[in-house]
């Protein structure tokens, strides 16, 4: 059996019951279950529809996300999440570079790296080099004034933990930011790169080895082994090319507001919903959310 989940942006819920019923009838699905009024619904299916992506394209134009996944074991016991543009709205290195006066240049490199056009490690080294001499106090300034959580992140982490889940934040960004974000959102652990600092200023380099795509996969392997769970017990979420390895390996990989080239390689793509979409995908209703 499979489950089809339809959802919209919680800030502007507009999921039409008639649309859900029409699709359910067309695909021969079972009775629809509403996870949140006007926001999220699901129904069971015997088979994966052949016209899934054609329907997905049509629904995208209406501001509706659609995902189809096996019904068995879709509720996961571990969350593995990227940070920049996933658990937070911003890219931390872009915000630091903006303060340093290299904002446009670094944003361009970041966008190309996240889209898979540039080698992640080389792109990171090049961007960090532009931060040389920046006062370390700018990190706290950026955290306080420029970094905002992605909607739904706190509920995602807290709800999964309330049901025995483990939450790990794994970023190609920096520990100075993951420590703060993990603490704010309640993650159990975090991993990232370390900005090197001497005499209170950034040196323009990061500690080795650099945490990139392969390291995120290693985190998946190591944390699941430590917890004694299978990789299929993990739901992973990210938006960039360096997230593809963990998205492919996890039981459920979610491309959230992802770069087009990244989304194209993922079976579950959320472009309109927020992080609560990951709870709906697991069958949680809004009344089940822990906030």
């Amino acid at each position: 059996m499979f489950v089809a989940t339809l959802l919209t942006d919680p800030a502007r819920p507009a999921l039409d019951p008639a649309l859900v019923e029409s699709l359910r009838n067309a695909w021969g699905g079972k009775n629809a279950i509403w996870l949140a009024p006007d926001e999220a619904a699901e129904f069971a299916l015997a088979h994966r529809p052949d016209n899934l992506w054609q329907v997905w394209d049509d629904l995208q134009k209406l501001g509706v996300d659609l995902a189809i996944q096996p019904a068995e074991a879709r509720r996961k016991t571990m969350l593995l999440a990227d940070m920049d543009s996933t658990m937070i709205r911003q890219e931390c290195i872009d915000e630091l570079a903006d303060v340093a006066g290299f904002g446009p240049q670094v944003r361009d490199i970041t966008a190309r790296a996240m889209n898979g056009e540039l080698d992640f490690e080389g792109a990171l080294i090049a961007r960090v080099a532009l931060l040389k001499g920046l006062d370390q106090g700018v990190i706290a300034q950026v955290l306080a004034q420029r970094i905002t959580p992605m909607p739904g992140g706190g509920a995602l982490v807290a709800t999964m933990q309330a049901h025995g889940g483990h939450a790990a934040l794994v970023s190609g960004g920096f520990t100075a930011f993951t420590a703060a974000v993990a603490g704010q959102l309640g993650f159990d652990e975090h991993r990232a790169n370390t900005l090197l600092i001497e005499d209170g200023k950034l040196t323009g380099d990061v500690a080795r080895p650099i945490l990139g795509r392969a390291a995120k996969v290693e985190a998946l392997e190591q944390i699941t082994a430590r917890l004694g769970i299978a990789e299929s017990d993990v739901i992973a979420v990210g938006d960039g090319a360096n997230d593809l390895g963990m998205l492919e390996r996890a039981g459920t990989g979610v491309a959230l507001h992802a770069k087009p080239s990244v989304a194209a390689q993922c079976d579950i793509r959320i472009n309109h919903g927020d992080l609560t979409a990951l709870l709906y995908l697991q069958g949680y209703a809004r009344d089940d959310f822990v906030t």
Side-chain angles (χ1 to χ4, degrees):
M1 293 293 292
F2 293 84
V3 173
T5 306
L6 295 94
L7 56 93
T8 60
D9 180 358
R12 294 178 294 276
L15 185 58
D16 186 350
L19 174 65
V20 176
E21 284 304 304
S22 175
L23 187 58
R24 181 188 70 80
N25 286 327
W27 283 347
K30 296 187 180 296
N31 290 340
I33 298 172
W34 282 86
L35 303 173
D38 303 321
E39 186 181 327
E42 66 177 33
F43 56 84
L45 287 167
H47 306 286
R48 187 181 180 91
D50 293 334
N51 64 339
L52 166 59
W53 293 113
Q54 177 184 338
V55 173
W56 183 89
D57 282 333
D58 292 339
L59 292 178
Q60 285 291 294
K61 300 169 187 174
L62 301 175
V64 176
D65 288 318
L66 167 68
I68 294 182
Q69 59 183 319
E72 185 178 359
R74 64 180 169 129
R75 187 163 290 192
K76 304 304 182 184
T77 55
M78 177 177 155
L79 168 68
L80 186 65
D82 173 46
M83 180 180 69
D84 296 273
S85 297
T86 300
M87 296 307 300
I88 60 175
R89 291 181 180 273
Q90 297 77 20
E91 294 280 340
C92 291
I93 193 166
D94 291 357
E95 301 303 323
L96 287 172
D98 200 37
V99 175
F102 295 100
Q105 181 177 347
V106 168
R107 287 181 192 280
D108 177 66
I109 298 173
T110 299
R112 293 171 63 196
M114 292 301 98
N115 206 37
E117 299 172 23
L118 299 175
D119 169 69
F120 177 82
E121 183 170 330
L124 181 67
I125 292 171
R127 286 175 292 166
V128 171
L130 295 173
L131 304 179
K132 184 176 182 179
L134 198 63
D135 191 280
Q136 72 176 92
V138 170
I139 294 173
Q141 176 188 333
V142 167
L143 274 167
Q145 299 176 4
R146 293 172 173 250
I147 303 303
T148 54
M150 190 73 76
L156 170 62
V157 173
T159 301
M160 289 190 64
Q161 288 174 330
H163 289 81
H166 183 88
L169 186 65
V170 184
S171 173
F174 311 117
T175 53
F177 291 92
T178 56
V181 172
Q184 180 182 3
L185 297 178
F187 277 86
D188 296 293
E189 60 182 287
H190 66 96
R191 300 185 183 191
N193 293 300
T194 301
L195 283 169
L196 297 179
I197 298 172
E198 291 182 2
D199 300 323
K201 296 186 182 299
L202 275 61
T203 67
D205 202 359
V206 293
R208 303 299 194 274
I210 290 176
L211 191 154
R213 174 171 173 159
K216 292 193 176 191
V217 174
E218 290 173 6
L220 172 64
E221 296 171 343
Q222 294 168 0
I223 298 172
T224 53
R226 191 182 76 228
L227 296 176
I229 63 175
E231 293 180 8
S232 59
D233 294 323
V234 177
I235 184 168
V237 60
D239 74 303
N242 62 323
D243 297 315
L244 279 170
M246 71 174 187
L247 295 179
E248 292 166 355
R249 287 279 292 271
T252 300
V254 181
L256 182 81
H257 303 172
K259 311 304 180 285
S261 64
V262 175
Q265 299 180 61
C266 298
D267 287 335
I268 299 182
R269 311 164 189 176
I270 301 299
N271 292 328
H272 301 287
D274 63 15
L275 284 162
T276 58
L278 275 72
L279 293 173
Y280 292 136
L281 289 170
Q282 296 179 75
Y284 289 100
R286 179 159 287 278
D287 288 345
D288 299 325
F289 291 3
V290 177
T291 58

